Amino acid sequence: MRRSRIIGVGHYVPPKVVTNDDLSKVMDTSDAWIRERTGIEKRHFVEKGVGTADLAYEATKRLLQKSGKSLQDIDFIILATLSPDYFFPGSGVLLQQKLGINSIGALDIRAQCTGFIYGLSVADSMIRAGQYNRILLVGSEVHSTGLDLTTRGRDVAVLFGDGAGAVLIEAKETEGEEGILSTHLHADGRYAQELWVEKPGSIVPLSPEDLEEGRHFPRMNGREVFKHAVTKFISVIDEALTTNRKRKEEIDLLVVHQANLRISEAVREYLKLPPEKVYNNIQRYGNTTAASIPLALSEAVEEGKLKKGNLVCLAAFGSGFTWGSALVRW
Ligand code: UT7
């Protein structure tokens, strides 16, 4: 059977660290509020002029160094982001140009916090179908340049950070239980406006009044998103376990999208997993949207918490609403 395996991981965050105390100097917030409600202690912000494709490039470079693979090994690029460098073209082609591997295909995925899982599912399908042998999948975000870093935007601004994570997915003929076992994708567009950036968009141009009112900044109905996040995480993880006839306790490592430590904790409690079986790094990076799962996978491998043969469950939920999961035999 032809399956796809993740054979390399890498990540990159820009050097500038922004603590909760730093944010409290520019808006009415506090370290205590942010830690208690979200678990976040700090995040990384880019310097002026650094974009999403730059972070994706750095994460890919590290992935190639660590995995011993070369640029020639990559057949296709998938880049997941909600913060592309430009409206168009997508950041996938910018990454391709930076890597200097012209002419291979490059696809952008726009599924916000679930972008990595959507990308994984697309890559898995392409590989299983025999279309490609090795796909580079990157989640990369520059949030800091698009946040309302004033008291008006504090409910959203304190949550997000910049960063990128990359994986290399390769085809393997195997009869064993190896690699990506299944992926599960969902969306419910009725909730599109619960977490969104309204303008500018093709439907309405940006007016001076819009700028004044901050309509170009992300807006979120935090409580509604939180409520849906917990239930969707649980249902989509159950779906992955049921599909593969696995029990909760068979999970070696759970890596959920890093949106809020309280959400991860609620999911962990539902699954009755011990803390060491759940990987969290939101404390150091905040919510890095499409980058959060590959960033966590890369760190978990580095720290020896994710090893060959482990059963890994990935799950994400975010704007759209979109949500998804994947079960992977590492
Ligand atoms: O990755 C995509 C998915 N995103 C998520 O899953 C995020 C889900 N939502 C959340 O994580 C939480 O809803 C938040 C962390 C965003 C907010 O926590 P909350 O416990 O739901 O707080 P809240 O929005 O109900 O606000 C409580 C209070 C409000 O004041 P009043 O009305 O009680 O006086 C807010 O104005 O906290 C205030 N507040 C803040 N105070 C200090 C909101 N943001 C801040 C802030 N600093 N940054």
Side-chain angles (χ1 to χ4, degrees):
M1 195 198 305
R2 191 174 158 95
R3 281 198 185 270
S4 25
R5 291 186 315 148
I6 297 175
I7 59 157
V9 289
H11 69 276
Y12 176 76
V13 289
K16 184 169 146 194
V17 175
V18 177
T19 63
N20 295 341
D21 284 335
D22 291 332
L23 291 181
S24 69
K25 289 177 193 138
V26 294
M27 64 180 79
D28 181 13
T29 190
S30 66
D31 179 52
W33 191 96
I34 301 170
R35 273 179 202 249
E36 191 185 306
R37 306 279 173 141
T38 71
I40 299 167
E41 295 163 18
K42 55 187 176 181
R43 74 285 292 140
H44 292 245
F45 281 4
V46 294
E47 297 292 348
K48 202 163 179 253
V50 176
T52 291
D54 293 315
L55 302 191
Y57 172 68
E58 293 297 334
T60 304
K61 257 186 8 194
R62 283 158 178 75
L63 152 74
L64 293 174
Q65 276 158 10
K66 285 200 281 184
S67 64
K69 295 287 174 190
S70 72
L71 289 171
Q72 287 66 43
D73 292 319
I74 301 170
D75 297 336
F76 190 76
I77 295 171
I78 302 179
L79 190 142
T81 188
L82 69 62
S83 51
D85 300 63
Y86 311 112
F87 251 136
F88 73 87
S91 294
V93 298
L94 305 180
L95 171 62
Q96 185 223 43
Q97 180 251 325
K98 285 177 195 297
L99 292 170
I101 38 175
N102 302 331
S103 98
I104 65 164
L107 169 73
D108 274 42
I109 299 258
R110 297 287 307 273
Q112 300 68 250
C113 300
T114 320
F116 181 79
I117 303 281
Y118 269 71
L120 196 69
S121 187
V122 171
D124 183 41
S125 302
M126 284 175 150
I127 286 177
R128 282 182 196 243
Q131 194 175 0
Y132 297 112
N133 288 320
R134 272 185 222 100
I135 298 180
L136 170 68
L137 169 61
V138 189
S140 183
E141 305 284 0
V142 172
H143 285 303
S144 56
T145 53
L147 295 171
D148 183 356
L149 291 164
T150 68
T151 298
R152 180 181 63 182
R154 65 180 182 175
D155 59 325
V156 174
V158 301
L159 303 176
F160 292 95
D162 303 340
V167 300
L168 189 62
I169 306 163
E170 183 181 66
K172 183 172 185 197
E173 285 296 334
T174 176
E175 291 314 312
E177 185 186 87
E178 252 187 287
I180 299 168
L181 306 183
S182 67
T183 58
H184 308 271
L185 306 180
H186 297 276
D188 191 340
R190 287 177 299 171
Y191 298 96
Q193 294 169 2
E194 300 294 347
L195 174 50
W196 70 326
V197 177
E198 184 185 357
K199 295 179 177 184
S202 55
I203 196 164
V204 265
L206 192 66
S207 68
E209 295 75 43
D210 293 329
L211 275 176
E212 191 75 15
E213 289 165 20
R215 291 189 179 277
H216 56 302
F217 291 124
R219 291 180 179 196
M220 174 171 70
N221 181 351
R223 291 207 172 164
E224 187 73 2
V225 175
F226 192 103
K227 199 175 68 191
H228 281 267
V230 174
T231 54
K232 299 303 188 203
F233 268 123
I234 287 173
S235 67
V236 83
I237 290 170
D238 276 342
E239 187 181 348
L241 292 171
T242 307
T243 304
N244 294 284
R245 296 193 183 84
K246 300 286 182 202
R247 288 169 288 116
K248 297 171 189 172
E249 52 274 27
E250 289 181 80
I251 297 174
D252 294 307
L253 193 69
L254 176 71
V255 180
V256 296
H257 163 57
Q258 301 289 288
N260 187 320
L261 202 54
R262 283 155 57 209
I263 296 178
S264 300
E265 257 313 282
V267 176
R268 184 183 75 75
E269 276 168 21
Y270 167 77
L271 292 170
K272 297 191 172 61
L273 292 175
E276 62 273 17
K277 285 194 168 189
V278 182
Y279 192 84
N280 288 307
N281 60 10
I282 190 171
Q283 300 91 329
R284 299 192 292 282
Y285 303 121
N287 181 345
T288 58
T289 312
S292 91
I293 291 180
L295 211 164
L297 287 175
S298 178
E299 283 205 334
V301 169
E302 258 181 20
E303 293 168 19
K305 291 179 177 158
L306 176 50
K307 299 185 203 76
K308 194 167 167 36
N310 282 170
L311 187 67
V312 191
C313 184
L314 311 177
F317 174 87
S319 158
F321 291 150
T322 56
W323 63 102
S325 64
L327 209 59
V328 180
R329 180 64 73 184
W330 199 258

